C-alpha cells in the first residue's frame, strides 16, 4: 500500500491485517510506556485545513508513539492564511523529506492531489464529503471488538448521509468485510443512487430494532447550502436515537463531535451501549497500524518460500476474532 486515500484502496484481507496490527498496538497502549521505535528518525506531517479534535490528536499521538518526528500544521495560524496554495504548502513541507503526509481538507479529492505532488505516503484524514478511511477502520476495529466478528453484522447508519464522508467510507468498508448496511434519514439527506453502493435505504426508524449496530451521524450544517430539514426539533422527533429507540443489546456508535439532543439524546450517549469513547481510543492504535502498514511493513512478495512471519499480525486474521484478540508474535513485532 503506497497511500491510503480511500477505503476502496484496501481489500478485505488488507483491512483485516490492519485491524489485527491495531490489536497488537492496543497491547502496547496498555503498558506504562506506550512507545515503540518503529518510525525513529522518520518524519510525519499532519496538515489540517478543517476543524478536527479526534482525528488530528490521534494521528499526532499515533506518529509519536511510533517514535516519528511530527510536524502538525493547521490552516489557521499558518501561511495558508496568507494565501499560500495547497500545492505550495505541500512542496514547502516536502523539503523536510517527510515519510508521510496526513491531510484533512474541505475539498473532495484534496488528498489524491497531494499524493501527486509529494514522494511521501499520503493518508486521507477526510476530504470534504468524500471519504474518511481511517474513521471507517477505527469503527470496524471497535465493532469487531464489541461484536466479536463483522461478517453478517447488521449496521444502520442514521442521519445526514448526504454530507458525510464517514458514512461513505463506512458503507464501503463494512461491505468489504461482509456486514449488511442500511442507511436511514429524511429523503433530503440521503444521496440519490446510494443503493448502488450495495446498501438498503430507509426513511423511518421503524425497522431499527433489527440492527446490531446503530451508527448515528451529525448533521453537517457547515456543508449545507440550503434547508435540508424543516427544523432541528422535527428532525430529532423523527431520527434522534434515544432511550426508547435503543434496544437492549444494540451497540451505539457516533464518529463525533456529537450534537447532544439532536442526533442522540443525553441518556444514550452516556449508556454502556455507547462505544463512542472506545471509538476515540481505537483511533490511536488504528492510525498507528495504518502508518506502520504504509511506512514499515515489508512489501508483499510473490516468493512462496518467504516465511509468513513477515506479517505476524496477519496470522491472527486466519482465526475468528474474540474480543480483544491479539497475538504474542504481533506484540513482538510491534515492539521491534
Ligand atoms: N469527525 C467526523 C468527520 O470529520 C464526523 C463529523 O464531523 O461529523 O467527518
Amino acid at each position: 500500500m503506497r497511500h491510503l486515500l480511500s477505503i476502496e484502496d484496501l481489500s478485505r484481507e488488507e483491512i483485516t491485517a490492519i485491524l489485527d496490527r491495531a490489536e497488537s498496538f492496543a497491547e502496547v497502549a496498555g503498558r506504562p510506556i506506550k512507545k515503540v521505535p518503529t518510525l525513529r528518525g522518520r518524519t510525519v506531517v499532519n496538515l489540517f485545513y478543517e476543524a478536527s479534535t479526534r482525528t488530528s490528536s490521534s494521528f499526532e499521538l499515533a506518529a509519536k508513539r511510533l517514535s516519528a518526528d511530527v510536524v502538525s500544521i493547521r490552516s489557521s495560524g499558518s501561511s495558508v492564511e496568507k494565501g499560500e496554495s495547497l500545492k505550495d504548502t505541500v512542496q514547502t513541507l516536502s523539503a523536510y523529506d517527510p515519510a508521510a503526509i496526513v491531510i484533512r481538507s474541505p475539498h473532495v479529492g484534496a488528498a489524491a492531489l497531494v499524493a501527486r505532488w509529494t514522494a511521501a505516503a499520503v493518508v486521507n484524514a477526510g476530504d470534504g464529503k468524500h471519504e474518511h478511511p481511517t474513521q471507517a477502520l477505527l469503527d470496524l476495529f471497535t465493532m469487531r471488538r464489541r461484536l466479536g466478528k463483522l461478517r453478517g453484522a447488521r449496521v444502520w447508519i442514521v442521519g445526514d448521509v448526504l454530507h458525510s464522508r464517514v458514512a461513505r467510507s463506512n458503507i464501503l468498508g463494512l461491505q468489504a468485510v461482509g456486514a449488511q448496511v442500511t442507511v436511514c434519514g429524511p429523503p433530503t439527506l440521503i444521496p440519490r443512487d446510494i443503493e448502488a453502493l450495495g446498501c438498503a435505504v430507509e426513511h423511518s426508524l421503524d425497522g431499527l430494532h433489527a440492527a446490531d449496530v446503530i451508527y448515528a451521524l451529525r448533521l453537517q450544517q457547515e456543508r449545507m447550502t440550503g434547508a435540508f430539514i424543516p427544523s432541528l426539533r422535527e428532525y430529532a422527533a423523527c431520527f434522534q436515537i434515544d432511550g426508547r429507540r435503543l434496544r437492549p443489546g444494540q451497540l451505539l456508535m457516533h464518529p463525533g463531535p456529537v450534537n447532544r439532543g439532536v442526533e442522540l439524546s443525553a441518556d444514550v450517549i452516556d449508556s454502556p451501549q455507547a462505544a463512542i469513547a472506545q471509538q476515540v481510543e481505537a483511533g490511536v492504535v488504528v492510525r498507528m497500524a495504518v502508518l506502520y502498514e504504509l511506512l514499515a511493513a515489508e512489501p508483499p512478495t510473490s516468493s512462496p518460500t518467504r516465511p509468513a512471519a513477515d506479517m505476524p499480525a496477519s496470522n491472527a486474521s486466519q482465526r475468528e476474532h474474540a474480543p480483544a484478540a491479539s497475538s504474542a508474535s504481533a506484540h513482538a513485532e510491534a515492539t521491534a
Side-chain angles (χ1 to χ4, degrees):
M1 179 167 73
R2 168 99 179 83
H3 304 291
L4 180 56
L5 305 177
S6 158
I7 196 77
E8 287 183 295
D9 293 343
L10 301 171
S11 65
R12 174 167 196 246
E13 291 69 31
E14 287 171 319
I15 291 174
T16 307
I18 289 172
L19 304 191
D20 292 340
R21 180 86 62 195
E23 285 290 359
S24 74
F25 286 128
E27 212 172 318
V28 176
R31 299 187 204 155
I33 295 174
K34 306 180 191 314
K35 251 184 146 128
V36 291
T38 316
L39 297 185
R40 196 164 47 198
R42 304 183 76 185
T43 302
V44 174
V45 171
N46 296 319
L47 195 49
F48 277 72
Y49 282 78
E50 209 185 42
S52 174
T53 300
R54 282 150 284 268
T55 308
S56 60
S57 58
S58 61
F59 263 114
E60 182 159 345
L61 211 46
K64 286 180 171 164
R65 287 191 180 172
L66 292 169
S67 302
D69 295 325
V70 184
V71 180
S72 294
I73 292 168
R74 298 221 175 222
S75 48
S76 67
S78 75
S79 288
V80 172
E81 280 192 339
K82 299 180 185 168
E84 189 166 45
S85 72
L86 178 59
K87 186 171 186 180
D88 286 342
T89 304
V90 168
Q91 281 173 350
T92 301
L93 295 167
S94 294
Y96 303 136
D97 189 21
I101 297 180
V102 177
I103 165 101
R104 165 167 291 190
S105 163
H107 303 297
V108 171
L113 278 176
V114 172
R116 284 168 36 188
W117 299 327
T118 177
V122 175
V123 184
N124 182 3
D127 62 330
K129 59 181 188 174
H130 179 227
E131 277 236 34
H132 195 353
T134 59
Q135 176 74 46
L137 289 168
L138 74 88
D139 291 332
L140 293 176
F141 179 87
T142 307
M143 281 182 220
R144 193 177 77 168
R145 277 194 151 191
R146 290 282 289 252
L147 304 177
K149 66 184 173 81
L150 294 168
R151 179 169 285 281
R154 291 161 301 177
V155 181
W156 275 52
I157 299 178
V158 180
D160 181 2
V161 178
L162 181 67
H163 300 101
S164 175
R165 52 195 175 206
V166 172
R168 188 179 169 78
S169 292
N170 263 300
I171 292 168
L172 295 168
L174 282 161
Q175 296 199 129
V177 297
Q180 292 169 29
V181 185
T182 300
V183 296
C184 176
T188 47
L189 292 178
I190 302 289
R192 271 189 294 141
D193 301 334
I194 190 129
E195 292 97 334
L197 295 182
C199 54
V201 176
E202 295 286 347
H203 297 301
S204 90
L205 294 178
D206 293 348
L208 190 69
H209 56 272
D212 300 308
V213 180
I214 301 173
Y215 194 107
L217 298 170
R218 183 176 66 89
L219 286 176
Q220 309 254 314
Q221 307 215 42
E222 73 275 25
R223 297 192 213 286
M224 293 187 189
T225 47
F228 286 82
I229 52 168
S231 69
L232 285 182
R233 181 196 285 266
E234 227 166 296
Y235 176 81
C238 296
F239 294 102
Q240 182 184 92
I241 309 301
D242 59 15
R244 291 169 305 135
R245 288 177 171 149
L246 183 66
R247 182 174 61 75
Q250 287 180 317
L251 182 63
L252 178 65
M253 298 177 70
H254 190 295
V258 175
N259 285 320
R260 275 184 184 250
V262 181
E263 64 268 9
L264 296 180
S265 66
D267 54 332
V268 298
I269 296 171
D270 301 324
S271 94
Q273 284 171 253
I276 300 169
Q278 282 136 43
Q279 289 171 267
V280 177
E281 210 181 315
V284 177
V285 293
V286 166
R287 288 171 174 130
M288 286 172 82
V290 167
L291 290 173
Y292 182 100
E293 214 56 52
L294 286 166
L295 305 179
E298 290 279 323
T301 171
S302 52
S303 162
T305 54
R306 187 89 176 223
D310 269 3
M311 291 280 287
S314 315
N315 296 343
S317 66
Q318 307 305 323
R319 57 189 156 73
E320 195 63 21
H321 296 286
S326 65
S327 75
S329 58
H331 171 189
E333 163 106 347
T335 55

